[in-house]
Amino acid sequence: MATMTKHIYILLLVFFGCFSVGAQISEKVRRVEIRGSVQGKENHAPISGVAVSTGKGAYTLTDSQGKYRVNAEIGDVLTFESPEFETKRYTIKSGEDIDVLVEGYSVKNSGRRSRKLFKRSVSWHRSYLDSANFYKKKDIGKSIDFITRSIAQLGKGDNKKKLASSLTTLGEVYRYYKQYDLAITNLEDALEAHKSTKTTLLLGAVYLLNHDYENAKKVLVPLVKVKNMVPFQQVQLYESLGDAHKGLSQINQAVAFYEQGLMVAKKNQITPKMTDLNSKIADAYANTDRAVEAEGFYGNSLKLAESEAPQRAIQEKEKVADFYNKKNRYNEEIKMRKRSLDQLKKLSTPVVENKSAFVGINSITSQRINYKIGNAYIAQDKYEQAI
């Protein structure tokens, strides 16, 4: 028995037309594949490049024949977007084919709107990247889907700069989820499409996270000669080069780069980086048993951290307390950790350790601090206080 396919025709008036459809959402949601086309009503001329999407991330463009297919669910709202007509929406009620007829459309008039199409394409590209960044820390699938859409907007044109922007965003997403090899691949592809200081710094940072210090140096060193780099990027560059040399146990070179970064940060009053770099210089000296120098820079970082958010101050107190612990200066360690506890009680949100900006890092909690204080008492045979 042959099955007759049901077609729904939506009549659109160019630029000023509108329609409304009563939504009848099935109680039992099920997935369907919607097919159809977008054409001129009078001449049936196909309209290509129309964006067809649902609110749940499904997306496609009409082809050269004006046809499309998209996966959706009963109750989803199907949206049609194009410079050729006002944005229209239709609520899906079954697995019907949906053909869109645009009244007043002509191929001749379409040519006049090519500029609008380009502007809309650029707008969509930026919009999709904004959405990708919004979902970056919430849903990797959605974030990558929006990046894919942003690339699709570029079409066959030679828009290398925007392609690089999409690939860089993809690299950032993979970096956040610690998929460093994928991040590196996409950032390298982005640089091949269009070189930029931002992407190069990101690539160097991912190499550092992947403990590939030699490649980090190789990528970052050429940036030292770049002129007119903004101060914050200069600080990032010197800090990353310091991290690379520290990773290779080249402590003197590491400190030299950290100090260059600190000089730029001081000159431009970039306080957070002043705190970080004082702390990293202190770490470098502590690792080479130069305790006096280390303590001096830790003192600087503590003072600077106090002027920042309370969370940052607690992070630095705990780092200095760890330094005291390694030097068996338990009374000073306990005193510092008690200061952290007092400050922590006043906060409503947890403190994340400043080892990484990515997921999976444990928070600094009162339980952890108390545990370390207990260990410091045990190290001094003060068991009652430890208990």
Side-chain angles (χ1 to χ4, degrees), residues 195-230:
K195 293 190 181 299
S196 73
T197 298
K198 174 190 172 183
T199 303
T200 306
L201 287 170
L202 282 169
L203 179 58
V206 178
Y207 275 131
L208 290 173
L209 290 168
N210 211 30
H211 306 295
D212 189 347
Y213 303 115
E214 286 291 355
N215 269 322
K217 281 174 57 179
K218 184 178 178 180
V219 166
L220 295 170
V221 166
L223 289 183
V224 174
K225 298 179 181 179
V226 174
K227 296 180 180 179
N228 301 320
M229 192 184 297
V230 298

Side-chain angles (χ1 to χ4, degrees), residues 12-18 80-88:
L12 304 178
L13 301 181
V14 177
F15 295 110
F16 53 82
C18 63
F80 298 86
E81 296 178 279
S82 171
E84 306 301 336
F85 51 80
E86 290 183 354
T87 297
K88 299 301 173 187

Side-chain angles (χ1 to χ4, degrees), residues 205-371:
V206 178
Y207 275 131
L208 290 173
L209 290 168
N210 211 30
H211 306 295
D212 189 347
Y213 303 115
E214 286 291 355
N215 269 322
K217 281 174 57 179
K218 184 178 178 180
V219 166
L220 295 170
V221 166
L223 289 183
V224 174
K225 298 179 181 179
V226 174
K227 296 180 180 179
N228 301 320
M229 192 184 297
V230 298
F232 190 82
Q233 288 183 328
Q234 280 186 301
V235 176
Q236 284 182 309
L237 172 61
Y238 291 132
E239 182 180 9
S240 292
L241 282 169
D243 291 342
H245 283 89
K246 183 183 175 186
L248 294 167
S249 299
Q250 299 167 352
I251 302 302
N252 289 336
Q253 294 96 318
V255 170
F257 278 114
Y258 288 147
E259 288 180 336
Q260 280 183 279
L262 183 58
M263 182 172 65
V264 177
K266 283 180 178 178
K267 182 178 179 180
N268 294 277
Q269 288 299 298
I270 308 173
T271 304
K273 283 301 177 186
M274 290 166 62
T275 306
D276 292 342
L277 288 164
N278 270 289
S279 186
K280 287 189 174 186
I281 293 171
D283 288 343
Y285 281 133
N287 288 340
T288 54
D289 293 323
R290 295 172 63 176
V292 175
E293 291 96 330
E295 192 161 5
F297 281 97
Y298 277 134
N300 293 339
S301 65
L302 277 172
K303 289 177 183 177
L304 290 163
E306 291 292 350
S307 66
E308 296 184 55
Q311 289 89 340
R312 182 67 183 90
I314 293 171
Q315 289 170 357
E316 203 57 31
K317 286 185 178 70
E318 284 302 288
K319 180 182 277 191
V320 175
D322 289 341
F323 167 73
Y324 288 145
N325 176 270
K326 290 177 182 176
K327 300 300 177 184
N328 300 325
R329 294 162 59 176
Y330 300 116
N331 288 332
E332 290 165 282
E333 176 195 356
I334 291 167
K335 184 178 179 182
M336 186 66 68
R337 295 200 196 280
K338 285 183 176 180
R339 286 173 59 191
S340 295
L341 276 177
D342 290 339
Q343 201 161 6
L344 192 61
K345 290 175 183 177
K346 300 174 184 178
L347 297 180
S348 57
T349 56
V351 179
V352 176
E353 290 184 286
N354 199 29
K355 292 179 181 178
S356 169
F358 312 114
V359 294
I361 300 299
N362 294 325
S363 296
I364 297 174
T365 63
S366 58
Q367 289 88 346
R368 289 185 65 192
I369 295 174
N370 273 303
Y371 179 77

Side-chain angles (χ1 to χ4, degrees), residues 77-114:
V77 175
L78 203 60
T79 301
F80 298 86
E81 296 178 279
S82 171
E84 306 301 336
F85 51 80
E86 290 183 354
T87 297
K88 299 301 173 187
R89 295 174 176 83
Y90 175 75
T91 302
I92 299 170
K93 293 175 285 186
S94 65
E96 70 264 42
D97 288 355
I98 300 176
D99 293 326
V100 179
L101 299 178
V102 180
E103 192 167 86
Y105 172 80
S106 72
V107 178
K108 185 181 292 186
N109 290 335
S110 175
R112 298 174 184 175
R113 299 181 191 118
S114 59

